[in-house]
Amino acid sequence: MIIVLLGAPGAGKGTLAGAIKDQLGVHHISTGDLIRAEIKAGSVIGLEIKRYVESGGLVPDEVVTRMIEGKVKETAADKKGYMFDGFPRTSAQASDLDKVLAANGLVIDFALYMEASLNVVLQRLTGRRVCRKCGALYHLKNMPSRKEGVCDVCTGELYQRADDNEETIKKRIVVYNDQTKPIIDFYKLQEKLHTVNADTGAEDVRKALIQILNGKKS
Ligand code: ADP
Ligand code: ZN
């Protein structure tokens, strides 16, 4: 099964993917995570792309597509399928993804649009905390860890992403509306688009996704 998760920053793509990837047995590919790992490693690419992420802009399409292509080539043989999170983010990336998949004999089954309102997204992003060690996601109010600042899963330290500050968040939302929102129509035309209300809690969104995957209309 191949799923693409769409939605604004803060819509809950990462949280949903985390909650469901084991159940589905698919690879969870988050370009945000791949990009942050590259920056943390201090690689040549990492140094080049850091400024885009920190300013709230998008990393160039070629760089991101190359990362995805590498991951798909590496794993296509195991036939587990994928959940793409944070990719595609532009029209060019959307058509590139179809090409990369086709080259491996694969095709997208579902594009899931997590529709969230602006005030919800802002509240989620400003309160988001991430585990430095395992990447688990928390929220100061909505999903707090049992012990403040400490990951429930691995006891790693929780931190606030550098791009989760108010100014950068605003820029990311503008970029989302300009460059990412139009690709919703791309998947509508392919008759793959399903929309869920992402203003509700994580468990409701998970249930809605399972219903869609089971073939019920949303
Ligand atoms: P969020 O969904 O909360 O914005 P992500 O972790 O998906 O967080 O992305 C963080 C940043 O990484 C983005 O603001 C952007 O700079 C970069 N990024 C992630 N995915 C892509 C992509 N597909 N294309 C270009 N840049 C990306
Ligand atoms: Zn952790």
Side-chain angles (χ1 to χ4, degrees), residues 8-10 13 30-33 35-36 52-53 56-59 64 85-89 93 125 128 161 163 172:
K13 304 183 295 292
S30 154
T31 42
D33 288 348
I35 286 167
R36 281 184 292 277
Y52 297 106
V53 178
L58 292 182
V59 171
V64 193
D85 158 10
F87 182 88
R89 250 179 163 92
Q93 290 179 17
L125 291 174
R128 173 158 70 183
R161 271 169 42 178
D163 59 343
R172 282 156 62 203

Side-chain angles (χ1 to χ4, degrees), residues 4-19:
V4 166
L5 294 181
L6 303 170
K13 304 183 295 292
T15 302
L16 176 70

Side-chain angles (χ1 to χ4, degrees), residues 131 134 151 153-154 156:
C131 173
C134 77
C151 177
V153 183
C154 77

Side-chain angles (χ1 to χ4, degrees), residues 150-216:
V150 179
C151 177
D152 292 346
V153 183
C154 77
T155 72
E157 180 203 357
L158 304 186
Y159 80 108
Q160 180 169 35
R161 271 169 42 178
D163 59 343
D164 278 347
N165 65 76
E166 215 157 308
E167 193 189 334
T168 313
I169 288 169
K170 281 192 190 134
K171 167 90 186 290
R172 282 156 62 203
I173 290 174
V174 170
V175 168
Y176 170 77
N177 285 327
D178 283 356
Q179 308 214 46
T180 309
K181 240 181 156 187
I183 66 176
I184 289 168
D185 281 338
F186 177 87
Y187 292 109
K188 206 185 264 168
L189 284 170
Q190 292 191 355
E191 298 184 351
K192 289 180 181 168
L193 189 77
H194 298 262
T195 303
V196 300
N197 174 8
D199 283 349
T200 58
E203 181 53 19
D204 288 341
V205 176
R206 193 189 66 80
K207 282 190 194 143
L209 173 61
I210 295 293
Q211 278 208 341
I212 290 166
L213 301 183
N214 286 337
K216 295 180 192 124

Side-chain angles (χ1 to χ4, degrees), residues 4 61 65 68-69 87-103 106 108 179 182-183 186-187 190:
V4 166
D61 289 335
T65 297
I68 290 287
E69 196 172 17
F87 182 88
R89 250 179 163 92
T90 64
S91 306
Q93 290 179 17
S95 44
D96 283 345
L97 178 59
D98 280 353
K99 282 184 207 143
V100 167
L101 291 172
L106 300 169
I108 293 169
Q179 308 214 46
I183 66 176
F186 177 87
Y187 292 109
Q190 292 191 355

